[in-house]
PDB file of all heavy atoms in Angstrom:
ATOM      1  N   GLN A1346     -52.312  -4.857  59.497  1.00  0.00           N
ATOM      2  CA  GLN A1346     -53.516  -5.290  58.794  1.00  0.00           C
ATOM      3  C   GLN A1346     -53.255  -5.863  57.403  1.00  0.00           C
ATOM      4  O   GLN A1346     -54.069  -6.629  56.879  1.00  0.00           O
ATOM      5  CB  GLN A1346     -54.501  -4.112  58.673  1.00  0.00           C
ATOM      6  CG  GLN A1346     -54.985  -3.591  60.010  1.00  0.00           C
ATOM      7  CD  GLN A1346     -55.707  -4.660  60.818  1.00  0.00           C
ATOM      8  OE1 GLN A1346     -56.551  -5.378  60.294  1.00  0.00           O
ATOM      9  NE2 GLN A1346     -55.353  -4.778  62.094  1.00  0.00           N
ATOM     10  N   GLU A1347     -52.136  -5.496  56.779  1.00  0.00           N
ATOM     11  CA  GLU A1347     -51.898  -5.956  55.409  1.00  0.00           C
ATOM     12  C   GLU A1347     -51.864  -7.477  55.327  1.00  0.00           C
ATOM     13  O   GLU A1347     -51.447  -8.151  56.263  1.00  0.00           O
ATOM     14  CB  GLU A1347     -50.584  -5.365  54.872  1.00  0.00           C
ATOM     15  CG  GLU A1347     -50.556  -3.850  54.833  1.00  0.00           C
ATOM     16  CD  GLU A1347     -51.693  -3.253  54.024  1.00  0.00           C
ATOM     17  OE1 GLU A1347     -52.172  -3.907  53.086  1.00  0.00           O
ATOM     18  OE2 GLU A1347     -52.121  -2.125  54.332  1.00  0.00           O
ATOM     19  N   LYS A1348     -52.269  -8.009  54.170  1.00  0.00           N
ATOM     20  CA  LYS A1348     -52.371  -9.463  54.024  1.00  0.00           C
ATOM     21  C   LYS A1348     -51.023 -10.146  53.802  1.00  0.00           C
ATOM     22  O   LYS A1348     -50.888 -11.344  54.043  1.00  0.00           O
ATOM     23  CB  LYS A1348     -53.323  -9.795  52.878  1.00  0.00           C
ATOM     24  CG  LYS A1348     -54.769  -9.411  53.168  1.00  0.00           C
ATOM     25  CD  LYS A1348     -55.692  -9.884  52.061  1.00  0.00           C
ATOM     26  CE  LYS A1348     -57.144  -9.568  52.411  1.00  0.00           C
ATOM     27  NZ  LYS A1348     -58.078 -10.066  51.366  1.00  0.00           N
ATOM     28  N   VAL A1349     -50.032  -9.390  53.335  1.00  0.00           N
ATOM     29  CA  VAL A1349     -48.691  -9.942  53.113  1.00  0.00           C
ATOM     30  C   VAL A1349     -47.667  -8.964  53.697  1.00  0.00           C
ATOM     31  O   VAL A1349     -47.629  -7.808  53.306  1.00  0.00           O
ATOM     32  CB  VAL A1349     -48.410 -10.171  51.615  1.00  0.00           C
ATOM     33  CG1 VAL A1349     -47.018 -10.770  51.434  1.00  0.00           C
ATOM     34  CG2 VAL A1349     -49.461 -11.077  50.984  1.00  0.00           C
ATOM     35  N   ILE A1350     -46.849  -9.456  54.640  1.00  0.00           N
ATOM     36  CA  ILE A1350     -45.853  -8.613  55.314  1.00  0.00           C
ATOM     37  C   ILE A1350     -44.513  -9.331  55.285  1.00  0.00           C
ATOM     38  O   ILE A1350     -44.400 -10.454  55.767  1.00  0.00           O
ATOM     39  CB  ILE A1350     -46.232  -8.370  56.790  1.00  0.00           C
ATOM     40  CG1 ILE A1350     -47.651  -7.826  56.919  1.00  0.00           C
ATOM     41  CG2 ILE A1350     -45.234  -7.429  57.450  1.00  0.00           C
ATOM     42  CD1 ILE A1350     -48.230  -8.039  58.300  1.00  0.00           C
ATOM     43  N   GLY A1351     -43.501  -8.694  54.738  1.00  0.00           N
ATOM     44  CA  GLY A1351     -42.175  -9.287  54.714  1.00  0.00           C
ATOM     45  C   GLY A1351     -41.208  -8.506  55.586  1.00  0.00           C
ATOM     46  O   GLY A1351     -41.259  -7.277  55.636  1.00  0.00           O
ATOM     47  N   ILE A1352     -40.346  -9.229  56.291  1.00  0.00           N
ATOM     48  CA  ILE A1352     -39.309  -8.570  57.079  1.00  0.00           C
ATOM     49  C   ILE A1352     -37.958  -9.233  56.822  1.00  0.00           C
ATOM     50  O   ILE A1352     -37.886 -10.408  56.462  1.00  0.00           O
ATOM     51  CB  ILE A1352     -39.607  -8.577  58.598  1.00  0.00           C
ATOM     52  CG1 ILE A1352     -39.649 -10.009  59.139  1.00  0.00           C
ATOM     53  CG2 ILE A1352     -40.900  -7.851  58.898  1.00  0.00           C
ATOM     54  CD1 ILE A1352     -39.757 -10.070  60.659  1.00  0.00           C
ATOM     55  N   ALA A1353     -36.897  -8.470  57.004  1.00  0.00           N
ATOM     56  CA  ALA A1353     -35.529  -8.974  56.822  1.00  0.00           C
ATOM     57  C   ALA A1353     -34.661  -8.416  57.928  1.00  0.00           C
ATOM     58  O   ALA A1353     -34.858  -7.290  58.392  1.00  0.00           O
ATOM     59  CB  ALA A1353     -34.987  -8.547  55.459  1.00  0.00           C
ATOM     60  N   SER A1354     -33.689  -9.217  58.361  1.00  0.00           N
ATOM     61  CA  SER A1354     -32.787  -8.764  59.404  1.00  0.00           C
ATOM     62  C   SER A1354     -31.544  -9.641  59.414  1.00  0.00           C
ATOM     63  O   SER A1354     -31.596 -10.801  58.998  1.00  0.00           O
ATOM     64  CB  SER A1354     -33.470  -8.839  60.774  1.00  0.00           C
ATOM     65  OG  SER A1354     -32.636  -8.344  61.793  1.00  0.00           O
ATOM     66  N   ALA A1355     -30.438  -9.087  59.859  1.00  0.00           N
ATOM     67  CA  ALA A1355     -29.229  -9.860  60.129  1.00  0.00           C
ATOM     68  C   ALA A1355     -29.154 -10.042  61.642  1.00  0.00           C
ATOM     69  O   ALA A1355     -29.106  -9.067  62.382  1.00  0.00           O
ATOM     70  CB  ALA A1355     -27.992  -9.137  59.615  1.00  0.00           C
ATOM     71  N   MET A1356     -29.194 -11.291  62.100  1.00  0.00           N
ATOM     72  CA  MET A1356     -29.253 -11.566  63.533  1.00  0.00           C
ATOM     73  C   MET A1356     -28.152 -12.535  63.934  1.00  0.00           C
ATOM     74  O   MET A1356     -27.643 -13.298  63.120  1.00  0.00           O
ATOM     75  CB  MET A1356     -30.614 -12.169  63.914  1.00  0.00           C
ATOM     76  CG  MET A1356     -31.799 -11.257  63.718  1.00  0.00           C
ATOM     77  SD  MET A1356     -33.296 -12.036  64.381  1.00  0.00           S
ATOM     78  CE  MET A1356     -34.513 -10.775  64.016  1.00  0.00           C
ATOM     79  N   VAL A1357     -27.852 -12.534  65.232  1.00  0.00           N
ATOM     80  CA  VAL A1357     -26.882 -13.477  65.782  1.00  0.00           C
ATOM     81  C   VAL A1357     -27.298 -13.804  67.217  1.00  0.00           C
ATOM     82  O   VAL A1357     -27.840 -12.954  67.929  1.00  0.00           O
ATOM     83  CB  VAL A1357     -25.453 -12.896  65.738  1.00  0.00           C
ATOM     84  CG1 VAL A1357     -25.339 -11.654  66.598  1.00  0.00           C
ATOM     85  CG2 VAL A1357     -24.426 -13.938  66.164  1.00  0.00           C
ATOM     86  N   MET A1358     -27.103 -15.055  67.631  1.00  0.00           N
ATOM     87  CA  MET A1358     -27.425 -15.498  68.992  1.00  0.00           C
ATOM     88  C   MET A1358     -28.860 -15.131  69.369  1.00  0.00           C
ATOM     89  O   MET A1358     -29.109 -14.390  70.321  1.00  0.00           O
ATOM     90  CB  MET A1358     -26.440 -14.890  69.991  1.00  0.00           C
ATOM     91  CG  MET A1358     -25.001 -15.272  69.752  1.00  0.00           C
ATOM     92  SD  MET A1358     -24.689 -17.054  69.949  1.00  0.00           S
ATOM     93  CE  MET A1358     -24.921 -17.266  71.694  1.00  0.00           C
ATOM     94  N   HIS A1359     -29.803 -15.677  68.631  1.00  0.00           N
ATOM     95  CA  HIS A1359     -31.209 -15.306  68.820  1.00  0.00           C
ATOM     96  C   HIS A1359     -32.010 -16.470  69.394  1.00  0.00           C
ATOM     97  O   HIS A1359     -31.815 -17.622  69.022  1.00  0.00           O
ATOM     98  CB  HIS A1359     -31.805 -14.901  67.466  1.00  0.00           C
ATOM     99  CG  HIS A1359     -33.268 -14.598  67.511  1.00  0.00           C
ATOM    100  ND1 HIS A1359     -33.781 -13.459  68.105  1.00  0.00           N
ATOM    101  CD2 HIS A1359     -34.339 -15.285  67.030  1.00  0.00           C
ATOM    102  CE1 HIS A1359     -35.104 -13.456  67.980  1.00  0.00           C
ATOM    103  NE2 HIS A1359     -35.459 -14.558  67.345  1.00  0.00           N
ATOM    104  N   ASP A1360     -32.918 -16.157  70.315  1.00  0.00           N
ATOM    105  CA  ASP A1360     -33.872 -17.134  70.845  1.00  0.00           C
ATOM    106  C   ASP A1360     -35.214 -16.421  70.957  1.00  0.00           C
ATOM    107  O   ASP A1360     -35.393 -15.533  71.783  1.00  0.00           O
ATOM    108  CB  ASP A1360     -33.406 -17.641  72.214  1.00  0.00           C
ATOM    109  CG  ASP A1360     -34.359 -18.680  72.808  1.00  0.00           C
ATOM    110  OD1 ASP A1360     -35.425 -18.941  72.214  1.00  0.00           O
ATOM    111  OD2 ASP A1360     -34.034 -19.230  73.879  1.00  0.00           O
ATOM    112  N   SER A1361     -36.153 -16.816  70.114  1.00  0.00           N
ATOM    113  CA  SER A1361     -37.454 -16.137  70.090  1.00  0.00           C
ATOM    114  C   SER A1361     -38.326 -16.513  71.277  1.00  0.00           C
ATOM    115  O   SER A1361     -39.284 -15.814  71.596  1.00  0.00           O
ATOM    116  CB  SER A1361     -38.197 -16.481  68.797  1.00  0.00           C
ATOM    117  OG  SER A1361     -38.649 -17.831  68.827  1.00  0.00           O
ATOM    118  N   GLY A1362     -38.027 -17.651  71.923  1.00  0.00           N
ATOM    119  CA  GLY A1362     -38.936 -18.185  72.934  1.00  0.00           C
ATOM    120  C   GLY A1362     -40.161 -18.770  72.258  1.00  0.00           C
ATOM    121  O   GLY A1362     -40.449 -18.492  71.086  1.00  0.00           O
ATOM    122  N   PHE A1363     -40.901 -19.607  72.961  1.00  0.00           N
ATOM    123  CA  PHE A1363     -42.112 -20.189  72.385  1.00  0.00           C
ATOM    124  C   PHE A1363     -43.176 -19.108  72.221  1.00  0.00           C
ATOM    125  O   PHE A1363     -43.423 -18.318  73.139  1.00  0.00           O
ATOM    126  CB  PHE A1363     -42.643 -21.321  73.269  1.00  0.00           C
ATOM    127  CG  PHE A1363     -41.897 -22.618  73.102  1.00  0.00           C
ATOM    128  CD1 PHE A1363     -41.007 -23.049  74.067  1.00  0.00           C
ATOM    129  CD2 PHE A1363     -42.073 -23.386  71.958  1.00  0.00           C
ATOM    130  CE1 PHE A1363     -40.313 -24.239  73.906  1.00  0.00           C
ATOM    131  CE2 PHE A1363     -41.386 -24.569  71.794  1.00  0.00           C
ATOM    132  CZ  PHE A1363     -40.497 -25.005  72.764  1.00  0.00           C
ATOM    133  N   HIS A1364     -43.794 -19.067  71.061  1.00  0.00           N
ATOM    134  CA  HIS A1364     -44.813 -18.069  70.766  1.00  0.00           C
ATOM    135  C   HIS A1364     -45.659 -18.564  69.597  1.00  0.00           C
ATOM    136  O   HIS A1364     -45.365 -19.596  68.995  1.00  0.00           O
ATOM    137  CB  HIS A1364     -44.172 -16.725  70.417  1.00  0.00           C
ATOM    138  CG  HIS A1364     -43.396 -16.754  69.139  1.00  0.00           C
ATOM    139  ND1 HIS A1364     -42.167 -17.367  69.012  1.00  0.00           N
ATOM    140  CD2 HIS A1364     -43.672 -16.252  67.901  1.00  0.00           C
ATOM    141  CE1 HIS A1364     -41.731 -17.251  67.769  1.00  0.00           C
ATOM    142  NE2 HIS A1364     -42.619 -16.576  67.075  1.00  0.00           N
ATOM    143  N   PHE A1365     -46.707 -17.825  69.279  1.00  0.00           N
ATOM    144  CA  PHE A1365     -47.508 -18.135  68.091  1.00  0.00           C
ATOM    145  C   PHE A1365     -48.111 -16.838  67.573  1.00  0.00           C
ATOM    146  O   PHE A1365     -48.136 -15.821  68.257  1.00  0.00           O
ATOM    147  CB  PHE A1365     -48.597 -19.164  68.395  1.00  0.00           C
ATOM    148  CG  PHE A1365     -49.652 -18.690  69.359  1.00  0.00           C
ATOM    149  CD1 PHE A1365     -50.829 -18.114  68.895  1.00  0.00           C
ATOM    150  CD2 PHE A1365     -49.476 -18.822  70.728  1.00  0.00           C
ATOM    151  CE1 PHE A1365     -51.808 -17.672  69.779  1.00  0.00           C
ATOM    152  CE2 PHE A1365     -50.440 -18.386  71.625  1.00  0.00           C
ATOM    153  CZ  PHE A1365     -51.606 -17.808  71.149  1.00  0.00           C
ATOM    154  N   HIS A1366     -48.578 -16.889  66.338  1.00  0.00           N
ATOM    155  CA  HIS A1366     -49.197 -15.730  65.708  1.00  0.00           C
ATOM    156  C   HIS A1366     -50.697 -16.008  65.567  1.00  0.00           C
ATOM    157  O   HIS A1366     -51.096 -16.995  64.943  1.00  0.00           O
ATOM    158  CB  HIS A1366     -48.555 -15.459  64.354  1.00  0.00           C
ATOM    159  CG  HIS A1366     -47.059 -15.365  64.436  1.00  0.00           C
ATOM    160  ND1 HIS A1366     -46.409 -14.305  65.032  1.00  0.00           N
ATOM    161  CD2 HIS A1366     -46.081 -16.218  64.029  1.00  0.00           C
ATOM    162  CE1 HIS A1366     -45.106 -14.513  64.986  1.00  0.00           C
ATOM    163  NE2 HIS A1366     -44.879 -15.661  64.386  1.00  0.00           N
ATOM    164  N   LYS A1367     -51.494 -15.143  66.144  1.00  0.00           N
ATOM    165  CA  LYS A1367     -52.941 -15.394  66.213  1.00  0.00           C
ATOM    166  C   LYS A1367     -53.622 -15.345  64.854  1.00  0.00           C
ATOM    167  O   LYS A1367     -54.510 -16.136  64.563  1.00  0.00           O
ATOM    168  CB  LYS A1367     -53.594 -14.358  67.136  1.00  0.00           C
ATOM    169  CG  LYS A1367     -53.154 -14.441  68.583  1.00  0.00           C
ATOM    170  CD  LYS A1367     -53.830 -13.362  69.406  1.00  0.00           C
ATOM    171  CE  LYS A1367     -53.381 -13.391  70.856  1.00  0.00           C
ATOM    172  NZ  LYS A1367     -54.006 -12.311  71.656  1.00  0.00           N
ATOM    173  N   THR A1368     -53.220 -14.392  64.012  1.00  0.00           N
ATOM    174  CA  THR A1368     -53.964 -14.156  62.767  1.00  0.00           C
ATOM    175  C   THR A1368     -53.116 -14.308  61.506  1.00  0.00           C
ATOM    176  O   THR A1368     -53.597 -14.059  60.415  1.00  0.00           O
ATOM    177  CB  THR A1368     -54.556 -12.739  62.774  1.00  0.00           C
ATOM    178  OG1 THR A1368     -53.484 -11.772  62.808  1.00  0.00           O
ATOM    179  CG2 THR A1368     -55.466 -12.535  63.975  1.00  0.00           C
ATOM    180  N   LYS A1369     -51.853 -14.700  61.660  1.00  0.00           N
ATOM    181  CA  LYS A1369     -50.949 -14.756  60.514  1.00  0.00           C
ATOM    182  C   LYS A1369     -50.251 -16.114  60.428  1.00  0.00           C
ATOM    183  O   LYS A1369     -49.792 -16.663  61.428  1.00  0.00           O
ATOM    184  CB  LYS A1369     -49.868 -13.665  60.634  1.00  0.00           C
ATOM    185  CG  LYS A1369     -50.389 -12.226  60.593  1.00  0.00           C
ATOM    186  CD  LYS A1369     -50.747 -11.812  59.182  1.00  0.00           C
ATOM    187  CE  LYS A1369     -50.907 -10.299  59.050  1.00  0.00           C
ATOM    188  NZ  LYS A1369     -51.924  -9.713  59.912  1.00  0.00           N
ATOM    189  N   ALA A1370     -50.181 -16.644  59.206  1.00  0.00           N
ATOM    190  CA  ALA A1370     -49.277 -17.753  58.927  1.00  0.00           C
ATOM    191  C   ALA A1370     -47.913 -17.154  58.616  1.00  0.00           C
ATOM    192  O   ALA A1370     -47.804 -15.983  58.237  1.00  0.00           O
ATOM    193  CB  ALA A1370     -49.783 -18.570  57.745  1.00  0.00           C
ATOM    194  N   GLN A1371     -46.861 -17.959  58.758  1.00  0.00           N
ATOM    195  CA  GLN A1371     -45.507 -17.427  58.603  1.00  0.00           C
ATOM    196  C   GLN A1371     -44.664 -18.328  57.707  1.00  0.00           C
ATOM    197  O   GLN A1371     -44.683 -19.551  57.845  1.00  0.00           O
ATOM    198  CB  GLN A1371     -44.831 -17.308  59.971  1.00  0.00           C
ATOM    199  CG  GLN A1371     -43.412 -16.749  59.927  1.00  0.00           C
ATOM    200  CD  GLN A1371     -42.764 -16.697  61.294  1.00  0.00           C
ATOM    201  OE1 GLN A1371     -43.266 -17.290  62.261  1.00  0.00           O
ATOM    202  NE2 GLN A1371     -41.648 -16.006  61.414  1.00  0.00           N
ATOM    203  N   LEU A1372     -43.917 -17.708  56.816  1.00  0.00           N
ATOM    204  CA  LEU A1372     -42.895 -18.404  56.037  1.00  0.00           C
ATOM    205  C   LEU A1372     -41.551 -17.977  56.596  1.00  0.00           C
ATOM    206  O   LEU A1372     -41.218 -16.794  56.601  1.00  0.00           O
ATOM    207  CB  LEU A1372     -42.995 -18.043  54.559  1.00  0.00           C
ATOM    208  CG  LEU A1372     -41.888 -18.627  53.664  1.00  0.00           C
ATOM    209  CD1 LEU A1372     -41.984 -20.137  53.633  1.00  0.00           C
ATOM    210  CD2 LEU A1372     -41.971 -18.056  52.255  1.00  0.00           C
ATOM    211  N   LEU A1373     -40.772 -18.929  57.071  1.00  0.00           N
ATOM    212  CA  LEU A1373     -39.496 -18.643  57.719  1.00  0.00           C
ATOM    213  C   LEU A1373     -38.361 -19.179  56.855  1.00  0.00           C
ATOM    214  O   LEU A1373     -38.383 -20.345  56.433  1.00  0.00           O
ATOM    215  CB  LEU A1373     -39.476 -19.309  59.090  1.00  0.00           C
ATOM    216  CG  LEU A1373     -38.330 -18.990  60.049  1.00  0.00           C
ATOM    217  CD1 LEU A1373     -38.292 -17.500  60.360  1.00  0.00           C
ATOM    218  CD2 LEU A1373     -38.509 -19.793  61.340  1.00  0.00           C
ATOM    219  N   TYR A1374     -37.353 -18.329  56.612  1.00  0.00           N
ATOM    220  CA  TYR A1374     -36.277 -18.711  55.694  1.00  0.00           C
ATOM    221  C   TYR A1374     -35.014 -17.907  55.993  1.00  0.00           C
ATOM    222  O   TYR A1374     -35.087 -16.761  56.443  1.00  0.00           O
ATOM    223  CB  TYR A1374     -36.724 -18.446  54.248  1.00  0.00           C
ATOM    224  CG  TYR A1374     -35.651 -18.654  53.220  1.00  0.00           C
ATOM    225  CD1 TYR A1374     -35.055 -19.903  53.042  1.00  0.00           C
ATOM    226  CD2 TYR A1374     -35.213 -17.600  52.410  1.00  0.00           C
ATOM    227  CE1 TYR A1374     -34.058 -20.088  52.094  1.00  0.00           C
ATOM    228  CE2 TYR A1374     -34.229 -17.787  51.467  1.00  0.00           C
ATOM    229  CZ  TYR A1374     -33.651 -19.031  51.314  1.00  0.00           C
ATOM    230  OH  TYR A1374     -32.656 -19.210  50.388  1.00  0.00           O
ATOM    231  N   ALA A1375     -33.854 -18.522  55.745  1.00  0.00           N
ATOM    232  CA  ALA A1375     -32.569 -17.825  55.895  1.00  0.00           C
ATOM    233  C   ALA A1375     -31.690 -18.125  54.687  1.00  0.00           C
ATOM    234  O   ALA A1375     -31.263 -19.268  54.518  1.00  0.00           O
ATOM    235  CB  ALA A1375     -31.860 -18.259  57.169  1.00  0.00           C
ATOM    236  N   PRO A1376     -31.433 -17.142  53.811  1.00  0.00           N
ATOM    237  CA  PRO A1376     -30.573 -17.389  52.652  1.00  0.00           C
ATOM    238  C   PRO A1376     -29.123 -17.660  53.031  1.00  0.00           C
ATOM    239  O   PRO A1376     -28.358 -18.193  52.225  1.00  0.00           O
ATOM    240  CB  PRO A1376     -30.698 -16.108  51.833  1.00  0.00           C
ATOM    241  CG  PRO A1376     -31.161 -15.063  52.791  1.00  0.00           C
ATOM    242  CD  PRO A1376     -31.991 -15.779  53.793  1.00  0.00           C
ATOM    243  N   SER A1377     -28.728 -17.320  54.257  1.00  0.00           N
ATOM    244  CA  SER A1377     -27.414 -17.714  54.759  1.00  0.00           C
ATOM    245  C   SER A1377     -27.526 -17.940  56.263  1.00  0.00           C
ATOM    246  O   SER A1377     -28.316 -17.298  56.948  1.00  0.00           O
ATOM    247  CB  SER A1377     -26.356 -16.655  54.457  1.00  0.00           C
ATOM    248  OG  SER A1377     -26.614 -15.454  55.149  1.00  0.00           O
ATOM    249  N   GLY A1378     -26.748 -18.891  56.763  1.00  0.00           N
ATOM    250  CA  GLY A1378     -26.858 -19.277  58.157  1.00  0.00           C
ATOM    251  C   GLY A1378     -27.831 -20.431  58.323  1.00  0.00           C
ATOM    252  O   GLY A1378     -28.349 -20.970  57.342  1.00  0.00           O
ATOM    253  N   CYS A1379     -28.069 -20.818  59.560  1.00  0.00           N
ATOM    254  CA  CYS A1379     -28.933 -21.975  59.832  1.00  0.00           C
ATOM    255  C   CYS A1379     -29.739 -21.727  61.098  1.00  0.00           C
ATOM    256  O   CYS A1379     -29.194 -21.284  62.115  1.00  0.00           O
ATOM    257  CB  CYS A1379     -28.070 -23.231  59.992  1.00  0.00           C
ATOM    258  SG  CYS A1379     -29.010 -24.777  59.947  1.00  0.00           S
ATOM    259  N   MET A1380     -31.037 -22.013  61.042  1.00  0.00           N
ATOM    260  CA  MET A1380     -31.925 -21.836  62.179  1.00  0.00           C
ATOM    261  C   MET A1380     -32.399 -23.184  62.710  1.00  0.00           C
ATOM    262  O   MET A1380     -32.553 -24.135  61.954  1.00  0.00           O
ATOM    263  CB  MET A1380     -33.148 -21.006  61.765  1.00  0.00           C
ATOM    264  CG  MET A1380     -32.822 -19.589  61.370  1.00  0.00           C
ATOM    265  SD  MET A1380     -34.296 -18.583  61.030  1.00  0.00           S
ATOM    266  CE  MET A1380     -34.676 -19.107  59.344  1.00  0.00           C
ATOM    267  N   THR A1381     -32.625 -23.241  64.008  1.00  0.00           N
ATOM    268  CA  THR A1381     -33.258 -24.398  64.636  1.00  0.00           C
ATOM    269  C   THR A1381     -34.656 -23.982  65.068  1.00  0.00           C
ATOM    270  O   THR A1381     -34.824 -22.955  65.721  1.00  0.00           O
ATOM    271  CB  THR A1381     -32.471 -24.857  65.877  1.00  0.00           C
ATOM    272  OG1 THR A1381     -31.128 -25.136  65.513  1.00  0.00           O
ATOM    273  CG2 THR A1381     -33.094 -26.112  66.475  1.00  0.00           C
ATOM    274  N   VAL A1382     -35.645 -24.759  64.698  1.00  0.00           N
ATOM    275  CA  VAL A1382     -37.029 -24.453  65.068  1.00  0.00           C
ATOM    276  C   VAL A1382     -37.578 -25.597  65.911  1.00  0.00           C
ATOM    277  O   VAL A1382     -37.457 -26.770  65.540  1.00  0.00           O
ATOM    278  CB  VAL A1382     -37.909 -24.242  63.831  1.00  0.00           C
ATOM    279  CG1 VAL A1382     -39.345 -23.904  64.249  1.00  0.00           C
ATOM    280  CG2 VAL A1382     -37.349 -23.128  62.948  1.00  0.00           C
ATOM    281  N   THR A1383     -38.166 -25.254  67.041  1.00  0.00           N
ATOM    282  CA  THR A1383     -38.755 -26.243  67.938  1.00  0.00           C
ATOM    283  C   THR A1383     -40.239 -25.937  68.086  1.00  0.00           C
ATOM    284  O   THR A1383     -40.617 -24.782  68.286  1.00  0.00           O
ATOM    285  CB  THR A1383     -38.079 -26.200  69.324  1.00  0.00           C
ATOM    286  OG1 THR A1383     -36.662 -26.259  69.167  1.00  0.00           O
ATOM    287  CG2 THR A1383     -38.538 -27.360  70.174  1.00  0.00           C
ATOM    288  N   THR A1384     -41.066 -26.972  67.990  1.00  0.00           N
ATOM    289  CA  THR A1384     -42.497 -26.835  68.257  1.00  0.00           C
ATOM    290  C   THR A1384     -42.799 -27.546  69.571  1.00  0.00           C
ATOM    291  O   THR A1384     -41.884 -27.888  70.321  1.00  0.00           O
ATOM    292  CB  THR A1384     -43.333 -27.442  67.117  1.00  0.00           C
ATOM    293  OG1 THR A1384     -43.192 -28.875  67.142  1.00  0.00           O
ATOM    294  CG2 THR A1384     -42.873 -26.910  65.765  1.00  0.00           C
ATOM    295  N   SER A1385     -44.055 -27.776  69.840  1.00  0.00           N
ATOM    296  CA  SER A1385     -44.422 -28.435  71.093  1.00  0.00           C
ATOM    297  C   SER A1385     -43.916 -29.867  71.163  1.00  0.00           C
ATOM    298  O   SER A1385     -43.752 -30.419  72.255  1.00  0.00           O
ATOM    299  CB  SER A1385     -45.945 -28.428  71.260  1.00  0.00           C
ATOM    300  OG  SER A1385     -46.560 -29.081  70.156  1.00  0.00           O
ATOM    301  N   ASP A1386     -43.639 -30.474  69.998  1.00  0.00           N
ATOM    302  CA  ASP A1386     -43.241 -31.888  70.042  1.00  0.00           C
ATOM    303  C   ASP A1386     -42.139 -32.290  69.067  1.00  0.00           C
ATOM    304  O   ASP A1386     -41.836 -33.468  68.940  1.00  0.00           O
ATOM    305  CB  ASP A1386     -44.467 -32.765  69.782  1.00  0.00           C
ATOM    306  CG  ASP A1386     -45.020 -32.609  68.368  1.00  0.00           C
ATOM    307  OD1 ASP A1386     -44.616 -31.652  67.659  1.00  0.00           O
ATOM    308  OD2 ASP A1386     -45.843 -33.448  67.966  1.00  0.00           O
ATOM    309  N   ARG A1387     -41.504 -31.327  68.378  1.00  0.00           N
ATOM    310  CA  ARG A1387     -40.475 -31.700  67.415  1.00  0.00           C
ATOM    311  C   ARG A1387     -39.465 -30.578  67.230  1.00  0.00           C
ATOM    312  O   ARG A1387     -39.710 -29.437  67.584  1.00  0.00           O
ATOM    313  CB  ARG A1387     -41.099 -32.065  66.068  1.00  0.00           C
ATOM    314  CG  ARG A1387     -41.953 -30.966  65.487  1.00  0.00           C
ATOM    315  CD  ARG A1387     -42.791 -31.458  64.322  1.00  0.00           C
ATOM    316  NE  ARG A1387     -44.081 -30.796  64.303  1.00  0.00           N
ATOM    317  CZ  ARG A1387     -44.981 -30.936  63.342  1.00  0.00           C
ATOM    318  NH1 ARG A1387     -44.727 -31.708  62.320  1.00  0.00           N
ATOM    319  NH2 ARG A1387     -46.141 -30.326  63.411  1.00  0.00           N
ATOM    320  N   GLN A1388     -38.342 -30.965  66.639  1.00  0.00           N
ATOM    321  CA  GLN A1388     -37.286 -30.011  66.331  1.00  0.00           C
ATOM    322  C   GLN A1388     -36.825 -30.232  64.900  1.00  0.00           C
ATOM    323  O   GLN A1388     -36.767 -31.370  64.428  1.00  0.00           O
ATOM    324  CB  GLN A1388     -36.111 -30.210  67.291  1.00  0.00           C
ATOM    325  CG  GLN A1388     -34.927 -29.301  67.031  1.00  0.00           C
ATOM    326  CD  GLN A1388     -33.818 -29.539  68.034  1.00  0.00           C
ATOM    327  OE1 GLN A1388     -33.912 -29.121  69.187  1.00  0.00           O
ATOM    328  NE2 GLN A1388     -32.771 -30.222  67.619  1.00  0.00           N
TER     329      GLN A1388
END
């Protein structure tokens, strides 16, 4: 329920699958490493 939620993790070989968040906007960032993000029409 909180209006601001932060999470941190060290991950490797990750695939979230296509998904969406119904009630939350998301800020996605990695201070080290590189992520690929795909939407319905772009990468």
Side-chain angles (χ1 to χ4, degrees):
Q1346 297 300 314
E1347 300 304 331
K1348 293 186 176 182
V1349 181
I1350 307 159
I1352 63 172
S1354 183
M1356 295 186 180
V1357 63
M1358 299 296 291
H1359 176 72
D1360 181 355
S1361 72
F1363 281 105
H1364 66 286
F1365 65 93
H1366 308 289
K1367 296 179 182 178
T1368 63
K1369 296 284 195 301
Q1371 181 182 13
L1372 175 65
L1373 189 60
Y1374 174 61
S1377 65
C1379 193
M1380 295 185 279
T1381 304
V1382 181
T1383 310
T1384 70
S1385 58
D1386 66 347
R1387 57 192 145 174
Q1388 178 179 285

